[in-house]
Amino acid sequence: MRLLEADVLVIGSGPAGLAAAYQARVSGAKRVTIIERNREPGGILPQCIHNGFGLRIFGRDLTGPEYAQRWLYQAQEAGVEIMTRTMVQSITPDLRITASGNGTLVDIKAKALILATGCRERPRGALGIPGARPAGIYTAGTAQRLVNIEGYMPGRRFVILGSGDIGMIMARRLTLEGAQVMAMAEILPYVSGLRRNLVQCVRDFDIPLYTSTTITEIRGRERVESVVMSAVDEHWQPIKGTQRELACDTLLLSAGLLPEIELARLAGVKLDPVTGGAMIDERQATNVPDIYAAGNMVHVYDLVDSVSESALRAGCKAAEACSGHEQPCEPLLPLVAGENVHHVVPQYVHIGAPRELIIELRVKLPLEEPAVVQLTAGDKLITSERLRYARPSEMIALRLRPEQYQQIGQAPCLRAAVVRASQIKTRG
Amino acid sequence: MPEQYDVIIIGAGVVGSLVARALSRYQLRLLLLEKHSDVAEGTTKANTAIVHAGYDAKPGSNKARLNVAGNRMYDNLCAELDAEFDRCGTFVVALSEEDLVTLGSLYKRGQQNGAAGLRLFNAEETLRHEPSLTKEARGSLYAASGGIVDPFQLGIGAAESAVINGVELMLETEVTGFLFEHNRITGVTTNRGDYYSRWVVIAAGLWADDLMHKAGLDGFAINPRKGEYFVLDRRSSEVVHTVLFPCPTPVSKGIMVTRTVHNNVLLGPNANTIRDKGDLDVSAAGLDEVWSGALKLIPGLAKRDIIRSFAGLRAAGSCDDFVIEIPGDPAGMVVLAGIESPGLTAAPAIAEEVVEMLREAGLELAPNTHFNPERKAVRRFAVLTRREQEALIATDPRYASVVCRCEMVTEGEIAAACHEVIPARTYDGLKRRTRLGSGRCQGAFDLPLVIGIMARELGISPLEITLKGGHSRFLARGTKEVDA
Ligand SMILES: Cc1cc2nc3c(=O)[nH]c(=O)nc-3n(C[C@H](O)[C@H](O)[C@H](O)COP(=O)(O)OP(=O)(O)OC[C@H]3O[C@@H](n4cnc5c(N)ncnc54)[C@H](O)[C@@H]3O)c2cc1C
């Protein structure tokens, strides 16, 4: 058994964990340790061998492994210790952590904890697809790991359910590896991943894409032999007579990511029923003292740069907390989702804190026209920003500056909304 | 002179395996044949896993007698086989005045059958035990002797115990017909050759009628009845502590809500007669039926807790009772057929009965003094104490590496399962022995790792690793290789 003491303990070494640990060290925490269950650090990034990472933070279009490596160098240079192949098994609210790995159990006492556990993919059971239960059904991320890390093709003829980013990226990857991608089916009337992936991974490779379509049956006793695809109505119900059987040997699922919150739950962290992730304030602090959360375990981000940025905030605040820095005493105001907003993070803000804060949100329905994101307190407009469009696949960020706090007054909450720009004009 | 067995048992489900084990207490040459790539692959792996108290079946029937007898054997049996068993009690819940009448007659029937620990509860007492139950509940029939079991460990444990005590087990061996001498069966034909024996026991579950026909016995048919299920995430304490049945109907015990021994929640089964014995598909309509049925008992169920669905097939026989007999013509055969619910509960009693039937029929039974009743399951690291965990890691450091994050299954357990008495050779086999991949991510995280570990432990290529044998391989080829 090993005993470990840390000022800041970070769980997870993905783009959130590496950035959080780096920042915690730079902000003055002495002993900063990352625990990672995988063989290699980087979280999901080592298997994301495509580009599109780091434009904002590093000003360069990097691949996943490159992006991870840059953060890894920075973290190691700053003196962060990384324990790979180590799995946290339990966390108590007073920050006693037990883990195991590398042939031993580890007991850890930390002054502050940053949860950077990322997210996981929605599996078949949660999607409730009827039919048989043969081999050949994988989440897109599992398939990505098999192909890019382990070096194996999980099938020859693929159908992809869902149009999430990993699914679209895998459509291209599998095609390049000589497999056939027969179809991509998305239950929504629009693609759920990023526009650039739709163009570069699906359209450029002539992958047949069907929106308002789902898989209603899986066939094949031992290995997938075919799937049945059906068009759906506006309530997502299959439309009779539209079924079409597609021969394939593999079904990939790219139908949503869920924050990985098992450890957060053990620690007593409050969860947001909409995001499924940890509830935080503007410092990335959870309801449990000295536990912070960052990255996809708070809410699922669209870009890795934003994940790392949320972690920089958490790293800084966790370092302050363990050096006995004064904690905010301003009133805590809930921030809630208003018109056409699916969810908003942070869920709470300290009003009057002397720093700019960033509000992140996603819309419910796409607006393919100029739109405005607004923050209101009661009937007072606190701040707003114009957008060229608003899509559920792309996170929207809004800045709230300290001088704007004063206008909030006695309102019980802050509300974020995204409306058509034209709507605002007519309102005068 | 070809090798001669005393008894060949066809089918390594819970029934066949327990029969083999019961016979291994005697000095006999025994052969257990199973067509699947693993034991407990038939109905034994897909049922509600309830050890019934015994108030359902008609008094005087085989079902009633063997249910009650089997139930009594469970504590001892599960301790010997290291299978989890919890006598947590069961409730039949009345939702109407009519249901209350049904409870009364079930109670009476239970008394006649000799079922232990029955009590009638009023609404208040019922809700006190199960607070999430619908407020419509009018009362219940409580059975203290009812419980839940891990059917995988029971089935695998029975077969391993048999093997430990000298039974020869052949997997992927399908009995295709019988060998006769005059009107006596002298052996079986299989895809791997012929095997000779003095007695043959048919314990083939859904396929018992096909084998009976091959042996020349007509007039019995199995009409499979499918039951579909949902499995919910392991937060059962918020939903159900025991086993909740609605009031039964003539065809089934109804859609129930139950805790499993691993603290998942199980919803189901419905009941639909089908033709194809290989059809374990779940349907949208069937799952809807299960969901709405379960909501009648527990209105607060949430769909986001669903982690899996599956189906099992009841081997419903044409004569409504377990068939347990030595037909005489042809001679040399014991038939166990129509072993539908409560077959899991009754299985240990059925096994004892087969021994007695064979003894009466003249098979000499000299005790096997080396018989060892104990069998150990793969040790589950996650449930051990700190000290036990440390001791285990000291023997094999791979117990410190967690491979399945949801169920906290370690590499040490996977390796151990690959070298058990009956080794796990498929992903599903591993899952049933270790709980790997049975949590909320359903294997998405562990699969790439497990394929590598299994390939190493079994000494085969990762390309050969299957989900459940046959053509159920996970991988098609290496990357950068070109398909021929
Ligand atoms: C939906 C459902 C719910 C149930 N719930 C309960 C419950 O809660 N409590 C309870 O007590 N009981 C329950 N049961 C009943 C119980 O599951 C069964 O009675 C029991 O599992 C039967 O075991 P078995 O060994 O007879 O059959 P199986 O497990 O099906 O085993 C038969 C074996 O024979 C093999 N076989 C068949 N033909 C051949 C051949 N030609 N050659 C070689 N091998 C062959 C098969 O591959 C199979 O492995 C339920 C059943 C169902 C379907």
Side-chain angles (χ1 to χ4, degrees):
Chain A
M1 200 195 65
R2 217 182 125 184
L3 271 172
L4 188 83
E5 278 186 37
D7 292 312
V8 176
L9 184 75
V10 180
I11 304 181
S13 71
L18 290 172
Y22 160 77
Q23 187 62 47
R25 267 297 290 155
V26 169
S27 306
K30 286 207 189 61
R31 293 160 305 175
V32 179
T33 302
I34 302 182
I35 294 200
E36 166 60 51
R37 65 184 176 206
N38 276 332
R39 291 176 281 204
E40 66 288 327
I44 200 74
L45 290 170
Q47 71 183 54
C48 299
I49 61 173
H50 53 282
N51 61 342
F53 299 89
L55 271 173
R56 212 162 60 219
I57 287 188
F58 296 115
R60 298 201 38 193
D61 189 7
L62 304 171
T63 62
E66 289 171 318
Y67 183 87
Q69 195 60 50
R70 285 194 175 216
W71 277 113
L72 185 59
Y73 281 144
Q74 289 196 21
Q76 282 172 332
E77 228 155 81
V80 170
E81 189 202 351
I82 304 183
M83 294 169 64
T84 53
R85 299 167 181 256
T86 303
M87 176 87 99
V88 171
Q89 301 195 335
S90 69
I91 302 180
T92 61
D94 65 343
L95 305 197
R96 293 192 176 273
I97 292 119
T98 57
S100 73
N102 302 307
T104 181
L105 297 176
V106 194
D107 276 334
I108 308 161
K109 180 79 187 94
K111 287 191 189 153
L113 179 66
I114 302 175
L115 298 169
T117 47
C119 58
R120 62 191 170 88
E121 300 172 282
R122 203 184 291 276
R124 178 196 178 179
L127 295 169
I129 311 166
R133 290 172 302 287
I137 306 165
Y138 305 93
T139 60
T142 301
Q144 190 179 43
R145 173 151 192 126
L146 287 170
V147 176
N148 293 345
I149 305 278
E150 314 293 336
Y152 289 102
M153 288 291 283
R156 296 185 164 87
R157 300 177 89 191
F158 291 77
V159 168
I160 303 177
L161 174 62
S163 59
D165 289 310
I166 315 177
M168 293 200 278
I169 283 159
M170 283 311 287
R172 172 176 67 184
R173 183 81 185 93
L174 293 165
T175 308
L176 290 172
E177 279 292 344
Q180 265 180 294
V181 180
M182 318 298 296
M184 174 170 253
E186 167 58 58
I187 197 165
L188 295 171
Y190 47 85
V191 163
S192 65
L194 294 173
R195 190 60 53 116
R196 72 169 188 223
N197 286 331
L198 172 64
V199 174
Q200 295 170 13
C201 303
V202 178
R203 293 214 181 119
D204 285 0
F205 285 81
D206 292 328
I207 309 286
L209 169 72
Y210 303 88
T211 50
S212 295
T213 300
T214 193
I215 306 292
T216 47
E217 194 184 334
I218 297 169
R219 292 183 181 162
R221 298 243 157 110
E222 297 185 337
R223 175 84 196 191
V224 174
E225 286 165 17
S226 67
V227 297
V228 176
M229 216 166 66
S230 304
V232 298
D233 62 21
E234 63 270 33
H235 307 296
W236 298 6
Q237 291 307 307
I239 301 169
K240 280 222 175 75
T242 62
Q243 296 94 323
R244 194 147 85 79
E245 185 170 2
L246 276 177
C248 61
D249 62 16
T250 313
L251 175 64
L252 291 197
L253 307 174
S254 181
L257 300 170
L258 308 165
E260 180 86 290
I261 43 71
E262 318 318 324
L263 293 175
R265 189 183 276 151
L266 281 180
V269 169
K270 261 201 213 139
L271 304 176
D272 181 327
V274 179
T275 60
M279 288 219 229
I280 54 165
D281 67 15
E282 79 287 352
R283 302 168 301 154
Q284 308 281 138
T286 68
N287 61 304
V288 182
D290 301 322
I291 299 188
Y292 297 78
N296 283 346
M297 71 85 55
V298 172
H299 68 147
V300 176
Y301 283 85
D302 54 346
L303 294 179
V304 75
D305 302 67
S306 314
V307 167
S308 298
E309 283 162 1
S310 77
L312 294 176
R313 291 195 287 277
C316 172
K317 294 301 159 191
E320 284 179 12
C322 65
S323 64
H325 201 276
E326 221 165 274
Q327 297 299 299
C329 53
E330 298 89 356
L332 204 56
L333 208 62
L335 175 54
V336 301
E339 183 178 337
N340 198 26
V341 171
H342 179 263
H343 66 260
V344 54
V345 166
Q347 287 84 352
Y348 297 98
V349 290
H350 288 96
I351 294 307
R355 53 194 161 248
E356 176 178 279
L357 63 97
I358 294 172
I359 292 166
E360 300 168 337
L361 56 93
R362 285 202 193 229
V363 291
K364 277 188 192 151
L365 296 172
L367 295 177
E368 295 292 343
E369 60 182 290
V372 174
V373 50
Q374 305 175 319
L375 190 71
T376 54
D379 47 14
K380 257 182 292 177
L381 180 67
I382 307 298
T383 181
S384 71
E385 235 165 81
R386 273 181 79 86
L387 308 165
R388 293 209 327 272
Y389 54 80
R391 293 177 187 144
S393 59
E394 296 181 26
M395 199 189 75
I396 296 167
L398 179 66
R399 277 162 205 282
L400 181 63
R401 291 187 306 277
E403 65 268 24
Q404 293 169 327
Y405 293 160
Q406 290 144 25
Q407 307 163 38
I408 294 171
Q410 296 300 308
C413 69
L414 285 169
R415 190 178 301 274
V418 177
V419 296
R420 291 188 168 82
S422 55
Q423 215 174 316
I424 304 251
K425 278 188 206 116
T426 53
R427 272 184 198 164
Chain B
M1 182 67 196
E3 203 168 5
Q4 166 95 19
Y5 290 94
D6 292 307
V7 186
I8 289 177
I9 300 110
I10 308 172
V14 67
V15 173
S17 300
L18 282 174
V19 167
R21 177 178 188 258
L23 289 169
S24 73
R25 290 176 190 272
Y26 305 96
Q27 294 175 34
L28 297 170
R29 297 217 49 197
L30 302 168
L31 177 63
L32 177 59
L33 300 177
E34 170 54 53
K35 65 177 178 180
H36 280 124
S37 58
D38 197 1
V39 300
E41 269 277 351
T43 304
T44 297
K45 76 163 192 282
N47 55 65
T48 325
I50 293 169
V51 177
H52 292 286
Y55 45 73
D56 288 295
K58 236 191 274 151
S61 62
N62 282 336
K63 279 184 183 173
R65 181 171 53 86
L66 295 163
N67 180 337
V68 171
N71 178 302
R72 284 196 202 115
M73 298 166 74
Y74 255 78
D75 302 274
N76 199 14
L77 180 71
C78 290
E80 287 176 349
L81 298 182
D82 200 11
E84 252 167 289
F85 169 56
D86 183 355
R87 224 180 252 288
C88 57
T90 61
F91 290 87
V92 184
V93 180
L95 299 178
S96 65
E97 289 302 314
E98 231 181 319
D99 281 355
L100 284 174
V101 178
T102 310
L103 290 191
S105 44
L106 282 179
Y107 178 81
K108 224 177 281 157
R109 201 193 291 176
Q111 301 262 304
Q112 272 173 287
N113 290 346
L118 301 187
R119 280 182 60 190
L120 287 167
F121 279 164
N122 64 23
E124 200 183 306
E125 290 166 313
T126 307
L127 285 164
R128 191 160 358 105
H129 282 89
E130 291 289 356
S132 305
L133 199 59
T134 171
K135 301 294 170 272
E136 314 270 294
R138 299 292 189 83
S140 63
L141 170 61
Y142 174 69
S145 59
I148 50 180
V149 67
D150 178 345
F152 310 142
Q153 283 299 344
L154 180 66
I156 294 165
E160 287 194 347
S161 175
V163 170
I164 289 168
N165 289 298
V167 173
E168 286 174 52
L169 168 70
M170 289 177 65
L171 297 171
E172 285 163 358
T173 308
E174 178 166 3
V175 172
T176 50
F178 296 93
L179 301 166
F180 296 91
E181 220 165 83
H182 309 297
N183 78 333
R184 185 168 186 96
I185 288 185
T186 54
V188 297
T189 62
T190 77
N191 56 325
R192 293 180 190 268
D194 300 347
Y195 297 90
Y196 293 87
S197 69
R198 293 158 67 196
W199 286 91
V200 173
V201 179
I202 296 182
L206 289 163
W207 289 270
D209 58 344
D210 299 343
L211 287 172
M212 287 164 77
H213 297 162
K214 286 189 173 131
L217 289 169
D218 291 323
F220 177 82
I222 284 173
N223 302 304
R225 214 160 56 228
K226 187 188 284 187
E228 291 162 279
Y229 294 87
F230 277 121
V231 185
L232 308 191
D233 204 354
R234 307 172 52 148
R235 273 190 286 157
S236 59
S237 58
E238 296 161 26
V239 178
V240 60
H241 305 288
T242 60
V243 175
L244 304 175
F245 297 92
C247 270
T249 65
V251 283
S252 117
K253 298 184 191 83
I255 290 162
M256 38 186 311
V257 177
T258 161
R259 174 168 75 81
T260 71
V261 287
H262 301 113
N263 291 324
N264 291 93
V265 176
L266 198 59
L267 313 179
N270 56 354
N272 289 305
T273 299
I274 57 157
R275 289 236 175 80
D276 180 353
K277 292 175 180 176
D279 173 7
L280 289 166
D281 293 6
V282 292
S283 65
L287 292 177
D288 280 348
E289 187 187 349
V290 167
W291 188 255
S292 51
L295 280 182
K296 282 185 199 149
L297 289 173
I298 306 277
L301 294 171
K303 276 212 160 151
R304 63 168 181 274
D305 289 334
I306 296 172
I307 58 173
R308 192 177 174 81
S309 54
F310 69 91
L313 298 182
R314 302 172 182 86
S318 49
C319 63
D320 207 37
D321 197 6
F322 295 159
V323 175
I324 298 178
E325 60 185 32
I326 295 180
D329 185 16
M333 181 166 77
V334 181
V335 174
L336 306 175
I339 315 290
E340 53 174 332
S341 191
L344 192 65
T345 314
I350 295 173
E352 293 310 318
E353 183 132 317
V354 170
V355 173
E356 291 318 309
M357 285 161 68
L358 286 171
R359 189 197 305 273
E360 264 168 46
L363 185 67
E364 48 312 342
L365 298 175
N368 167 10
T369 47
H370 302 295
F371 180 79
N372 171 11
E374 305 267 327
R375 167 267 178 189
K376 284 275 165 252
V378 175
R379 294 191 73 187
R380 275 188 66 209
F381 186 81
V383 302
L384 299 179
T385 64
R386 261 309 272 251
R387 189 165 295 177
E388 290 169 327
Q389 289 186 337
E390 273 164 22
L392 207 51
I393 290 174
T395 65
D396 185 343
R398 291 177 297 182
Y399 280 100
S401 313
V402 175
V403 174
C404 164
R405 60 182 167 185
C406 304
E407 299 293 320
M408 288 285 176
V409 180
T410 65
E411 186 174 346
E413 289 157 272
I414 297 172
C418 291
H419 301 287
E420 276 302 299
V421 175
I422 301 174
R425 298 155 70 228
T426 64
Y427 185 87
D428 272 357
L430 201 54
K431 181 172 171 174
R432 290 197 283 272
R433 286 165 176 81
T434 63
R435 292 201 45 77
L436 172 90
S438 37
R440 58 191 75 81
C441 93
Q442 291 286 301
F445 174 73
D446 67 59
L447 182 69
L449 304 173
V450 172
I451 289 175
I453 298 169
M454 286 189 84
R456 187 189 68 213
E457 294 300 322
L458 299 173
I460 56 180
S461 155
L463 292 169
E464 293 174 72
I465 303 295
T466 65
L467 173 66
K468 49 183 168 182
H471 300 289
S472 66
R473 292 185 177 190
F474 286 111
L475 304 174
R477 60 172 167 85
T479 50
K480 308 287 177 275
E481 286 169 16
V482 179
D483 276 316

